[in-house]
Amino acid sequence: VMLHRLLAMVRGPGRCGGWQKGCSARGSASAAAAPPVVLPARAQVVVCGGGIMGTSVAYHLSKMGWKDVVLLEQGRLAAGSTRFCAGILSTARHLAIEQKMADYSNKLYHQLEQETGIQTGYTRTGSIFLAQTQDRLVSLKRITSRLNVIGIPCEVVSPKKVAELHPLLNVHDLVGAMHVPEDAVVSSADVALALASAASQNGVQIYDRTSILHVMVKKGQVTGVETDKGQIQCQYFVNCAGQWAYELGLCSEEPVSIPLHACEHFYLLTRPWETPLPSSTPTVVDADGRIYIRNWQGGILSGGFEKNPKPIFTEGKNQLEIQNLQEDWDHFEPLLSSLLRRMPQLETLEIVKLVNCPETFTPDMRCIMGQSPSVRGYFVLVGMNSAGLSFGGGAGKYLAEWMVHGYPSENVWELDLKRFGALQSSRTFLRHRVMEVMPLLYDLKVPRWDFQTGRQLRTSPLYDRLDAQGARWMEKHGFERPKYFVPPDKDLLALEQSKTFYKPDWFEIVESEVKCCKEAVCVIDMSSFTKFEITSTGDQALEILQYLFSNDLDVPVGHIVHTGMLNERGGYENDCSIARLSKRSFFMISPTDQQVHCWAWLKKYMPEDSNLILEDVTWKYTALNLIGPRAVDVLSELSYAPMTPDHFPSLFCKEMSVGYANGIRVMSMTHTGEPGFMLYIPIEYALHVYNEVMSVGQKYGIRNAGYYALRSLRIEKFFAFWGQDLNTLTTPLECGGESRVKLDKGVDFIGRDALMQQRQNGVYKRLTMFILDDHDTDLDLWPWWGEPIYRNGQYVGKTTSSAYGYTLERHVCLGFVHNFSDTGEEQVVTADFINRGEYEIDIAGHRFQAKAKLYPVPSLLTHRRRKEDVELSDLHGK
């Protein structure tokens, strides 16, 4: 029934609306008589894909004034994943950016029928998210508190209320639920057609049955596309090809890596109930049962995300349109059993069909958008992880903003294509990862969970040594990093299975590592850092770096500068440390996940000059962080060189011998504010240096430590991390970093004008440290990130990161405080505004009192504290 209706919708006469000129004629007789399609010779933008993503991008581009747009679809409009979409629009998401995209989509689809005259089937039904366990209920409460503060009505309800909202549900095993009354259902294919119609009326040209064979690139810039009906010259190309995006990314002179993979997705359709369900019947998500349920023409549409998904098309995909795949009732049986437990009366209904359609998934369960790091003008919007309808409107808007203005209106780093590198493009990796990702969509995701597939891809030379000593691992950008080290007497299996929103089982382990960093000396393997070298024959390196970075890099050889890499709005594109190795050579250390993004940013601005060389040396060096007051003793013994502050001042870099190994770059910094040194060791010496450090360090109480200890140390010292606390919309002036910006030195740099303006006008948000007062670490829910912040009872922002401060014996949160007027407008945030407020942090609906603390005023810092000032928002634990 559903399939026939959707097929009729995209095949039937008169469905073209405002874009008839681009539609191929329907029916064989008409097609024979129709003249051949003539494509335009050139366009500003070519969009590939006529599903909800492609039509949304075209719609929003046309709304923003870009009319010279051509949309090409290889089959018929809305004949890909869009056609098979279950039509559920839900705003209940874990990520703030996903909540905003879904909320915008909801509002857009609600008014689309009025705008275009095309019926989209939009019905506001609301959604009920069921909880069978207390942990699931905590997860829903956390989402509820976040949705409410951005204006999305939402409440936690009892099982009794669930039965009132949806009388057919069995509620005996529930502990509660979340009700989102403004969620909706809609026909996704009709939405795509409506968006296409509106775009066409705004000047966009749409051509179906036109396949793109090749994307033409010259000198790293998109120049056009080659199709089966001729070439189109263009400045911008947008890959919204869904299932085909991976292969299409390879079809250009400069391949574009787009990591996604398809899995089979099943849902069933029933005939109507004897008394048909009202159209307003709420959608139900029973994540613990792994199923979703919605009304479908008086009956039921129900599918889910099974534990053992079936990946497909690993070898590639050649179909022009997605066809309904083979039914597999044996595979669907666990989901059907779960459905019958939740709705026992369903046994009386006749099932019409089991639909099996492909859905694309990404390595980290987040969609992919943005510009290619290697090809200018090549944009991507794909990989929706079965949420394409919910994200389609908002994602299309952000990508269109990105193209028109050069940046989106929100921070979308978590979705940016550049968060991935080529290492995530292995088909074997993708096949194995999506088998984990698909069930994870409904798994309970507690803080600090880690993917289990695609591991041990990038490792330090010390991996086996650390693993044998009890290291437990996390992964960042494919790199294995130690979380903490399990002592021999601890139950390893229990630790691995301990997942909770409360006090974790590793609490005492990390406490002992932090104590060792404070009192003795610890070693943390931090080899995952992104490491670049910039050299030149003359002064070219210094000149370009002075323009690209906000702090003054014209410092004596051997000095280290902590600096931001800003955009034209003054926001952080990166935050890093740069050591001047010689007059013409610089060593740059950035966060792990900056490897692709930072390289692309530098290449974008660096001139094509054979005398200026940028080299990625991440793989050449193992990085060991020696933290603690006895680090100086360990290094002194190993190098036979004085390491005291008089001989080795803070923020200084010196190449020296450690043990038998020469050429070790030793830096007096630790990224935590604690005393110690970073050692950048050529990889062939890594094992030797590590063994020597551990051997000599025994008498000083040395031990291994991991990133959880580092996190606690840095948050307690109020160090912000790029990607968590800082992003492209955050400026140095908003986080106490003005002393690390060369505003008054007469040197131009990217973002200077914006910062000068901001210094004059004042800041509209300010990074603040919160210390929880009435919080019981053992019994209360922990803050993790994203918790709403209240000032004098009014919502003012969210936490960006948090950790337990073992020195303070309190939980510490970092977050931005805004100053909203009664009408919702943002006003200047002053130190006085921060200091005069009474604060609370909302953790899953319970508010805890907190003390607010600001950065020390830079002008009051003494020269002796310069190290702490310069490292104040060091980001390299990220």
Side-chain angles (χ1 to χ4, degrees), residues 71 128 165 202 208 224 252 277 327 363 388 398 691 831 834 852:
L71 187 150
I128 309 171
L165 291 166
N202 279 332
D208 61 4
S252 61
L277 281 180
E327 289 187 349
Y398 291 145
N691 289 339
I834 300 287

mmCIF file of all heavy atoms in Angstrom, residues 71 128 165 202 208 224 252 277 327 363 388 398 691 831 834 852:
data_model
loop_
_atom_site.group_PDB
_atom_site.id
_atom_site.type_symbol
_atom_site.label_atom_id
_atom_site.label_comp_id
_atom_site.label_asym_id
_atom_site.label_seq_id
_atom_site.Cartn_x
_atom_site.Cartn_y
_atom_site.Cartn_z
ATOM 1 N N LEU A 71 19.944 21.178 -10.345
ATOM 2 C CA LEU A 71 19.856 19.945 -9.572
ATOM 3 C C LEU A 71 19.703 18.781 -10.528
ATOM 4 O O LEU A 71 18.803 18.787 -11.381
ATOM 5 C CB LEU A 71 18.693 20.003 -8.586
ATOM 6 C CG LEU A 71 18.577 18.831 -7.585
ATOM 7 C CD1 LEU A 71 17.940 19.294 -6.279
ATOM 8 C CD2 LEU A 71 17.781 17.652 -8.146
ATOM 9 N N ILE A 128 6.411 9.578 21.926
ATOM 10 C CA ILE A 128 6.597 9.050 23.280
ATOM 11 C C ILE A 128 7.827 8.150 23.249
ATOM 12 O O ILE A 128 7.881 7.180 22.488
ATOM 13 C CB ILE A 128 5.372 8.232 23.748
ATOM 14 C CG1 ILE A 128 4.075 9.020 23.560
ATOM 15 C CG2 ILE A 128 5.544 7.821 25.202
ATOM 16 C CD1 ILE A 128 2.830 8.183 23.788
ATOM 17 N N LEU A 165 -1.995 8.404 26.709
ATOM 18 C CA LEU A 165 -1.612 8.974 25.408
ATOM 19 C C LEU A 165 -1.762 7.963 24.280
ATOM 20 O O LEU A 165 -2.071 8.328 23.140
ATOM 21 C CB LEU A 165 -0.162 9.476 25.473
ATOM 22 C CG LEU A 165 0.110 10.701 26.352
ATOM 23 C CD1 LEU A 165 1.611 10.881 26.588
ATOM 24 C CD2 LEU A 165 -0.471 11.962 25.698
ATOM 25 N N ASN A 202 11.856 29.510 -7.677
ATOM 26 C CA ASN A 202 12.871 30.523 -7.373
ATOM 27 C C ASN A 202 14.009 30.532 -8.388
ATOM 28 O O ASN A 202 15.009 31.218 -8.187
ATOM 29 C CB ASN A 202 13.451 30.286 -5.975
ATOM 30 C CG ASN A 202 12.551 30.840 -4.882
ATOM 31 O OD1 ASN A 202 11.821 31.801 -5.103
ATOM 32 N ND2 ASN A 202 12.592 30.219 -3.719
ATOM 33 N N ASP A 208 15.771 15.286 -14.033
ATOM 34 C CA ASP A 208 15.888 13.915 -13.553
ATOM 35 C C ASP A 208 16.432 13.039 -14.685
ATOM 36 O O ASP A 208 16.721 13.497 -15.785
ATOM 37 C CB ASP A 208 14.553 13.398 -13.004
ATOM 38 C CG ASP A 208 13.443 13.367 -14.031
ATOM 39 O OD1 ASP A 208 13.717 13.682 -15.202
ATOM 40 O OD2 ASP A 208 12.306 13.029 -13.666
ATOM 41 N N GLY A 224 33.515 21.809 -13.068
ATOM 42 C CA GLY A 224 32.319 21.386 -13.788
ATOM 43 C C GLY A 224 32.008 19.928 -13.530
ATOM 44 O O GLY A 224 32.695 19.239 -12.766
ATOM 45 N N SER A 252 36.467 11.833 -9.504
ATOM 46 C CA SER A 252 37.048 13.133 -9.869
ATOM 47 C C SER A 252 38.556 12.994 -9.876
ATOM 48 O O SER A 252 39.107 12.028 -9.319
ATOM 49 C CB SER A 252 36.603 14.234 -8.893
ATOM 50 O OG SER A 252 37.023 13.940 -7.581
ATOM 51 N N LEU A 277 -6.828 3.809 13.633
ATOM 52 C CA LEU A 277 -6.132 4.708 14.566
ATOM 53 C C LEU A 277 -6.306 6.145 14.106
ATOM 54 O O LEU A 277 -6.196 6.433 12.899
ATOM 55 C CB LEU A 277 -4.647 4.379 14.615
ATOM 56 C CG LEU A 277 -4.195 3.179 15.458
ATOM 57 C CD1 LEU A 277 -2.677 3.039 15.364
ATOM 58 C CD2 LEU A 277 -4.617 3.331 16.906
ATOM 59 N N GLU A 327 12.550 -9.646 1.389
ATOM 60 C CA GLU A 327 12.013 -9.793 2.743
ATOM 61 C C GLU A 327 12.873 -10.801 3.501
ATOM 62 O O GLU A 327 13.425 -11.728 2.911
ATOM 63 C CB GLU A 327 10.567 -10.293 2.696
ATOM 64 C CG GLU A 327 9.573 -9.262 2.199
ATOM 65 C CD GLU A 327 8.133 -9.758 2.342
ATOM 66 O OE1 GLU A 327 7.967 -10.962 2.621
ATOM 67 O OE2 GLU A 327 7.201 -8.959 2.178
ATOM 68 N N PRO A 363 30.734 6.424 10.327
ATOM 69 C CA PRO A 363 31.533 5.781 11.373
ATOM 70 C C PRO A 363 31.253 6.251 12.794
ATOM 71 O O PRO A 363 31.621 5.557 13.743
ATOM 72 C CB PRO A 363 32.976 6.122 10.977
ATOM 73 C CG PRO A 363 32.930 6.377 9.521
ATOM 74 C CD PRO A 363 31.597 7.008 9.271
ATOM 75 N N GLY A 388 17.302 11.200 8.072
ATOM 76 C CA GLY A 388 17.333 12.177 6.987
ATOM 77 C C GLY A 388 16.153 13.122 6.979
ATOM 78 O O GLY A 388 16.309 14.318 6.716
ATOM 79 N N TYR A 398 22.011 24.850 6.782
ATOM 80 C CA TYR A 398 23.389 25.109 7.225
ATOM 81 C C TYR A 398 24.376 24.983 6.072
ATOM 82 O O TYR A 398 25.322 25.770 5.959
ATOM 83 C CB TYR A 398 23.781 24.154 8.349
ATOM 84 C CG TYR A 398 23.048 24.410 9.657
ATOM 85 C CD1 TYR A 398 22.692 23.364 10.504
ATOM 86 C CD2 TYR A 398 22.712 25.702 10.047
ATOM 87 C CE1 TYR A 398 22.025 23.595 11.696
ATOM 88 C CE2 TYR A 398 22.042 25.942 11.233
ATOM 89 C CZ TYR A 398 21.696 24.878 12.063
ATOM 90 O OH TYR A 398 21.036 25.112 13.237
ATOM 91 N N ASN A 691 61.532 3.295 28.310
ATOM 92 C CA ASN A 691 62.114 2.362 29.287
ATOM 93 C C ASN A 691 63.054 3.083 30.248
ATOM 94 O O ASN A 691 63.060 2.822 31.464
ATOM 95 C CB ASN A 691 62.872 1.244 28.559
ATOM 96 C CG ASN A 691 61.930 0.278 27.847
ATOM 97 O OD1 ASN A 691 60.753 0.195 28.184
ATOM 98 N ND2 ASN A 691 62.456 -0.441 26.866
ATOM 99 N N ALA A 831 32.160 41.039 33.776
ATOM 100 C CA ALA A 831 32.616 40.277 34.937
ATOM 101 C C ALA A 831 31.664 40.482 36.108
ATOM 102 O O ALA A 831 31.378 39.552 36.871
ATOM 103 C CB ALA A 831 34.030 40.707 35.311
ATOM 104 N N ILE A 834 28.681 38.225 35.817
ATOM 105 C CA ILE A 834 28.990 36.856 36.223
ATOM 106 C C ILE A 834 29.053 36.768 37.755
ATOM 107 O O ILE A 834 28.427 35.893 38.367
ATOM 108 C CB ILE A 834 30.353 36.401 35.636
ATOM 109 C CG1 ILE A 834 30.349 36.448 34.105
ATOM 110 C CG2 ILE A 834 30.717 35.006 36.147
ATOM 111 C CD1 ILE A 834 29.560 35.387 33.426
ATOM 112 N N ALA A 852 30.445 30.333 40.665
ATOM 113 C CA ALA A 852 31.037 30.735 39.392
ATOM 114 C C ALA A 852 32.392 31.377 39.621
ATOM 115 O O ALA A 852 32.588 32.139 40.579
ATOM 116 C CB ALA A 852 30.110 31.708 38.675
#
